[in-house]
Amino acid sequence: MNRSLTSLLLGLLLVAAPAAQASAPTKLPTIARTLTAKAAAPRDCAATAPKARRGVAVSRYVAPMSGYVTARLAAPSTSDWDLIARDAATGRVLATSQGFRSNELVQTWAGARQRIDFVACRRRGAARSARVGITFVDVAPPLSQPKVSLVRVTGDQAKISRLEDAGLDVTHERGQGFADVLVAGDAQRKLLADAGLGVTTRVDDMNAFGRASDAADARAAAGGRSALPSGRTAYRTYDDVQTELKALVEKYPDSVRPVVIGKTFQGRDIQGVEIADNVKGDDGRPVFFLMGLHHAREWPSEEAAMEYATMLATQSGDPRIAALRANERTVIVPVVNVDGFITTRTDSAVDPNDNNPAGQDPNVHLGEAVAPPGGILAYRRKNCSGEFPDPTVPCELQWGVDNNRNYGNLWGGPGSSQDPTSQSFHGPAPRSEPETQAVWNYSRTHQVTMLMTLHNVAALVLRPPGLHDGGKAPDEARMKAIGDAMGAATGYTSQYSFELYDTAGTTEDDTYTATGGYGYTIEIGPKDGMFHMPYQQGFIDQWEHGD
């Protein structure tokens, strides 16, 4: 290894690695309360008027100091209760949880003496009461961060391949002799330059880019519905995902039913829908399992899953859709990494779109903000587990695990890292993460003959194997034919996964090895795209035309 690369790796590890084992944040005793609503009322709890009474129960909480608040609701699963957190002074909704059952979790940063109303909505079912536990953690959010840039690094392939091991955020947009990298601050840029790698700035300020994308989406919304099955013009929040899935289940009960495949690290249901004619019947139809958003920042992957669910549910008159619904069961889980996704989409003290909410102490800050090991705020990649085995610790303080390196097949091999600060950290053990376990267990206990996991941004159709030296799949000829057909339909390049870069512990390699069900990763384009582009370019154009 030459001196410049040695200096690069040592320098980056000093920047990215935690300084020492941090002390666990102070957590106050959980407050337990019972909320009662005499009648059920089907409603969007987040849109409920503050003075609504039917089907609604409210519990007021006053934060003792600045910190982080977690509220969990539980009621019998035969009923459907939802939970939201609302600022009592302004009426602003702080967090929402509107799953299929009554396992609800909301989390929010709070200022000292901030009054928060936890609003529980009894949507259906016989359970008149729900239990709510409220936990406060004395931690401070990051108030600011260095400027985040997207740069293209060029040069020696060996140096580039080691960047991720050193803690830099190397994206999926890469090839022979180049890679796009998210860089937090001038120090990381200097380290790249000192290594003798060429660095070209693609986006100077990703936060400003995100705000410009939001503005473009707002202008598009003024023009009316898009041509998507849902008509959307902007990226969904997780509240949108939950309410839309629930609406499909309620409107089409004979062809859409709810699915919950497991729970996340923080305790949220990982939910989706199953779509088929006579969906509640007992038959041997094969299962197509479609998943989005293993990586928290990859919003178009969730969008594609949601639009596909909407299309299958609402367009049964189309002959192709009718054939799919008659001959197979389609299971769609739009968001695997729910905790991470919520972190990237929530307006809070750690979101670039709202960096100082009312009541927040302007002097608090997070010491590791120069290089957050879990990812860069809205550009977080990993889940929310980490140094502290406590789901009430804010996601922003956890280094996280890359769920798509945590699967069992060849776990710990090339393309993954044992360093928690790496964006490809594979976790402490094969399938250690609850999100990974949920996908694995569902795939091996159902008749999944085709699995597809959605990512972005690279405009690729990837098939096993993930490792160059892993040997071809026994079904290579047929898998290549299907992959090539998908590539031709989208304009994406169809190739082996390892042709992007070697990876181990990935989703489709794991399930194919265990069950024989075909598996693909779709890297949604456009080629040379970037995270959080305007919705038109980042998703609608891809849905309609491919690259």
Side-chain angles (χ1 to χ4, degrees), residues 379-448:
Y379 299 99
R380 184 182 185 91
R381 170 181 165 115
K382 297 185 282 184
N383 75 354
C384 294
S385 67
E387 184 174 5
F388 308 107
D390 184 343
T392 64
V393 173
C395 185
E396 295 80 15
L397 307 188
Q398 301 273 41
W399 28 254
V401 171
D402 183 347
N403 289 117
N404 202 39
R405 301 294 184 273
N406 185 241
Y407 289 93
N409 184 56
L410 300 176
W411 176 87
S416 66
S417 175
Q418 63 182 357
D419 182 353
T421 67
S422 169
Q423 293 306 304
S424 292
F425 175 51
H426 52 51
R431 305 188 192 102
S432 61
E433 303 310 294
E435 300 90 355
T436 309
Q437 294 171 18
V439 172
W440 162 251
N441 286 327
Y442 190 88
S443 299
R444 68 188 181 90
T445 57
H446 294 76
Q447 195 167 319
V448 177

Side-chain angles (χ1 to χ4, degrees), residues 102-135:
S102 298
N103 174 52
E104 310 297 344
L105 167 65
V106 294
Q107 297 176 304
T108 183
W109 295 94
R113 307 304 298 169
Q114 183 177 358
R115 294 174 299 142
I116 300 173
D117 284 339
F118 291 105
V119 183
C121 298
R122 179 185 168 193
R123 188 181 179 93
R124 65 170 180 81
R128 295 162 56 96
S129 298
R131 296 283 291 173
V132 175
I134 304 170
T135 306

Side-chain angles (χ1 to χ4, degrees), residues 3 9 41 46 83 91 170 197 217 279 282 288 311 329 336 339 358 417 422 447 463 485 487:
R3 290 184 178 179
L9 296 181
L83 182 66
V170 183
L197 294 167
D217 293 347
V279 71
D282 183 11
F288 169 43
M311 182 179 71
R329 295 179 174 273
V336 172
D339 301 338
S417 175
S422 169
Q447 195 167 319
R463 67 183 185 278

Side-chain angles (χ1 to χ4, degrees), residues 27-52:
K27 183 167 66 173
L28 303 187
T30 297
I31 299 171
R33 296 174 179 173
T34 299
L35 298 180
T36 301
K38 295 181 179 180
R43 64 169 85 236
D44 179 349
C45 196
T48 300
K51 294 184 179 181

Side-chain angles (χ1 to χ4, degrees), residues 148-454:
V148 180
S149 301
L150 181 69
V151 303
R152 176 155 293 183
V153 177
T154 56
D156 181 76
Q157 187 67 30
K159 292 182 181 181
I160 293 174
S161 66
R162 294 187 179 99
L163 295 179
E164 198 160 45
D165 291 337
L168 276 179
D169 192 341
V170 183
T171 75
H172 290 170
E173 187 63 54
R174 63 177 77 176
Q176 190 62 36
F178 81 90
D180 283 358
V181 182
L182 283 170
V183 179
D186 293 337
Q188 288 191 3
R189 291 191 65 150
K190 184 177 186 301
L191 287 167
L192 288 179
D194 289 347
L197 294 167
V199 180
T200 303
T201 300
R202 297 196 62 208
V203 178
D204 180 59
D205 187 337
M206 288 295 288
N207 293 340
F209 178 81
R211 291 191 293 271
S213 295
D214 290 344
D217 293 347
R219 291 191 296 270
R225 291 171 56 88
S226 72
L228 295 173
S230 70
R232 287 194 66 86
T233 57
Y235 295 104
R236 290 168 171 85
T237 63
Y238 195 61
D239 182 60
D240 294 329
V241 171
Q242 289 191 306
T243 55
E244 289 181 32
L245 290 178
K246 190 174 288 189
L248 291 177
V249 169
E250 292 176 349
K251 187 173 183 180
Y252 304 101
D254 295 331
S255 56
V256 184
R257 68 176 173 182
V259 170
V260 177
I261 67 170
K263 294 184 185 299
T264 67
F265 171 77
Q266 291 182 327
R268 295 180 173 90
D269 284 346
I270 304 172
Q271 65 181 58
V273 289
E274 181 177 340
I275 303 176
D277 291 342
N278 187 27
V279 71
K280 298 175 184 176
D282 183 11
D283 55 54
R285 281 178 287 177
V287 174
F288 169 43
F289 189 14
L290 178 68
M291 295 172 290
L293 213 127
H294 270 76
H295 294 147
R297 65 197 181 194
E298 297 177 8
W299 302 346
S301 68
E302 165 269 310
E303 293 296 315
M306 284 298 298
E307 292 301 324
Y308 192 66
T310 303
M311 182 179 71
L312 285 187
T314 63
Q315 298 181 16
S316 59
D318 183 294
R320 295 181 304 165
I321 294 174
L324 290 173
R325 289 172 39 144
N327 296 313
E328 69 177 33
R329 295 179 174 273
T330 300
V331 173
I332 302 171
V333 177
V335 182
V336 172
N337 182 3
V338 182
D339 301 338
F341 178 57
I342 290 173
T343 298
T344 71
R345 295 293 287 130
T346 299
D347 286 336
S348 70
V350 296
D351 191 305
N353 294 318
D354 184 12
N355 215 27
N356 190 16
Q360 179 61 56
D361 181 349
N363 296 312
V364 297
H365 66 281
L366 178 66
E368 66 182 13
V370 173
I376 307 169
L377 304 186
Y379 299 99
R380 184 182 185 91
R381 170 181 165 115
K382 297 185 282 184
N383 75 354
C384 294
S385 67
E387 184 174 5
F388 308 107
D390 184 343
T392 64
V393 173
C395 185
E396 295 80 15
L397 307 188
Q398 301 273 41
W399 28 254
V401 171
D402 183 347
N403 289 117
N404 202 39
R405 301 294 184 273
N406 185 241
Y407 289 93
N409 184 56
L410 300 176
W411 176 87
S416 66
S417 175
Q418 63 182 357
D419 182 353
T421 67
S422 169
Q423 293 306 304
S424 292
F425 175 51
H426 52 51
R431 305 188 192 102
S432 61
E433 303 310 294
E435 300 90 355
T436 309
Q437 294 171 18
V439 172
W440 162 251
N441 286 327
Y442 190 88
S443 299
R444 68 188 181 90
T445 57
H446 294 76
Q447 195 167 319
V448 177
T449 58
M450 169 71 85
L451 176 147
M452 186 178 293
T453 175
L454 301 172

